[in-house]
Amino acid sequence: MTQIVVFAVVALLFYWLSRSFAHNEHTYTRNQFAGFKLTKENLAYSELGLFVALSAKIAKADGRVDELEAELISNMFNDISALFPDPEATKKLLKEIFDEEKNAPHNIDPVAQALYQALQNDAHKRQKMMEFLVHLSYIDGTLSHTEEEMLRVIARHLRFRDDELSSMLERFGSYHRHSAKESSIDQAYVLLNLTSAATNDEVKKAYRSLVRKYHPDIIKSQGASDEYLKEATEKVQEINAAYEMIKKSRGM
């Protein structure tokens, strides 16, 4: 048996955020964007574009965007672009915005200020978006100094007190500290519905398929109990841990 520290992953963070849009005043719909004039500038300054920009900065704060982050961010692009009349064109622009913003930590202040202006009358969305960014910062299991500094800058612009941010950091940090799991290489293959004879490409395909399966739609929320959220979180953690174990055993 090998001890694995299982990292809380972005898939369930998207679910966390999506739950906040379950009520009418917090729901994004296609009708809302039916008349949206799709240009890169318009998308970049929309609340969803600004949120993508801040997510990019947090994802790259520790120096790189890892494989899981990249896969789940791709799913986020799918969720958001599906709201617009031309999803493919929207997704292309979102990727461009993300790629530009992940390499521009210097403009975090104006981006966060612009998001506040877009959401100043919706404290609920600001709360959930801030929580998402806190969760995202823990994707690799630790909170770096750079990540924490970025979060404090964003929180200040979104009008959160220091103690409110500290509470968010402690809540998720506490969860992470209790997320150790036991597993074996055989169990890892079973969890991904594979055998040890699977090729590396088959391993990657199975992993990505499961990530998509358990990645909740960031926009459309069916609503769910806290118990369901806990169970779903554990499931995604197990999938990620199994994949990491298989990759390590194969030197992938």
Side-chain angles (χ1 to χ4, degrees):
M1 301 292 286
T2 302
Q3 184 76 13
I4 304 173
V5 177
V6 181
F7 301 138
V9 296
V10 177
L12 269 297
L13 309 187
F14 290 158
Y15 175 77
W16 182 277
L17 180 62
S18 73
R19 292 178 74 224
S20 72
F21 301 137
H23 304 293
N24 292 336
E25 67 270 27
H26 304 297
T27 302
Y28 292 114
T29 67
R30 294 198 66 181
N31 287 339
Q32 181 180 344
F33 297 93
F36 188 88
K37 184 178 179 181
L38 185 60
T39 67
K40 185 175 179 179
E41 182 177 12
N42 285 348
L43 186 60
Y45 282 96
S46 70
E47 60 191 68
L48 291 173
L50 293 165
F51 174 68
V52 166
L54 291 178
S55 297
K57 296 179 192 304
I58 292 296
K60 187 66 181 296
D62 57 2
R64 63 185 295 268
V65 180
D66 67 23
E67 182 179 0
L68 179 59
E69 287 174 310
E71 182 70 20
L72 296 173
I73 287 167
S74 177
N75 289 337
M76 181 174 73
F77 291 158
N78 291 337
D79 293 342
I80 294 176
S81 62
L83 292 169
F84 293 81
D86 190 340
E88 287 305 313
T90 304
K91 188 187 304 183
K92 180 176 182 295
L93 293 178
L94 286 172
K95 290 179 179 178
E96 291 179 9
I97 292 168
F98 183 91
D99 288 341
E100 291 174 4
E101 294 295 338
K102 74 180 182 182
N103 295 316
H106 58 278
N107 71 345
I108 192 169
D109 291 280
V111 174
Q113 289 169 1
L115 183 59
Y116 175 75
Q117 290 301 317
L119 296 177
Q120 60 180 314
N121 295 321
D122 197 329
H124 191 73
K125 280 184 184 177
R126 283 189 281 116
Q127 174 77 22
K128 292 305 176 182
M129 287 185 176
M130 191 68 230
E131 288 176 348
F132 173 87
L133 295 174
V134 170
H135 296 337
L136 179 57
S137 70
Y138 275 99
I139 185 63
D140 61 356
T142 61
L143 180 68
S144 71
H145 176 73
T146 302
E147 288 169 329
E148 184 172 355
E149 286 301 303
M150 280 191 174
L151 289 172
R152 293 197 180 282
V153 169
I154 295 169
R156 185 173 67 250
H157 288 303
L158 294 185
R159 304 299 195 271
F160 289 98
R161 301 189 309 271
D162 287 345
D163 64 306
E164 290 175 318
L165 176 60
S166 295
S167 177
M168 293 182 204
L169 293 172
E170 174 57 30
R171 188 164 69 248
F172 192 73
S174 176
Y175 179 81
H176 168 71
R177 288 192 292 272
H178 294 87
S179 63
K181 299 285 183 182
E182 290 271 343
S183 187
S184 69
I185 190 66
D186 289 338
Q187 291 171 325
Y189 280 111
V190 170
L191 190 60
L192 267 62
N193 300 317
L194 297 170
T195 69
S196 59
T199 65
N200 287 353
D201 285 343
E202 288 171 336
V203 170
K204 292 179 181 179
K205 183 178 180 180
Y207 170 69
R208 289 171 179 168
S209 177
L210 287 170
V211 167
R212 286 192 295 272
K213 178 179 179 180
Y214 289 96
H215 162 72
D217 194 314
I218 193 173
I219 303 302
K220 301 171 186 174
S221 174
Q222 299 301 315
S225 66
D226 288 341
E227 182 61 27
Y228 174 83
L229 176 59
K230 179 177 180 293
E231 292 174 359
T233 301
E234 292 174 352
K235 181 66 175 178
V236 177
Q237 288 176 333
E238 290 169 2
I239 292 167
N240 192 49
Y243 181 58
E244 290 300 322
M245 175 178 279
I246 292 172
K247 283 203 305 180
K248 184 175 181 180
S249 72
R250 292 176 172 227
M252 291 171 60

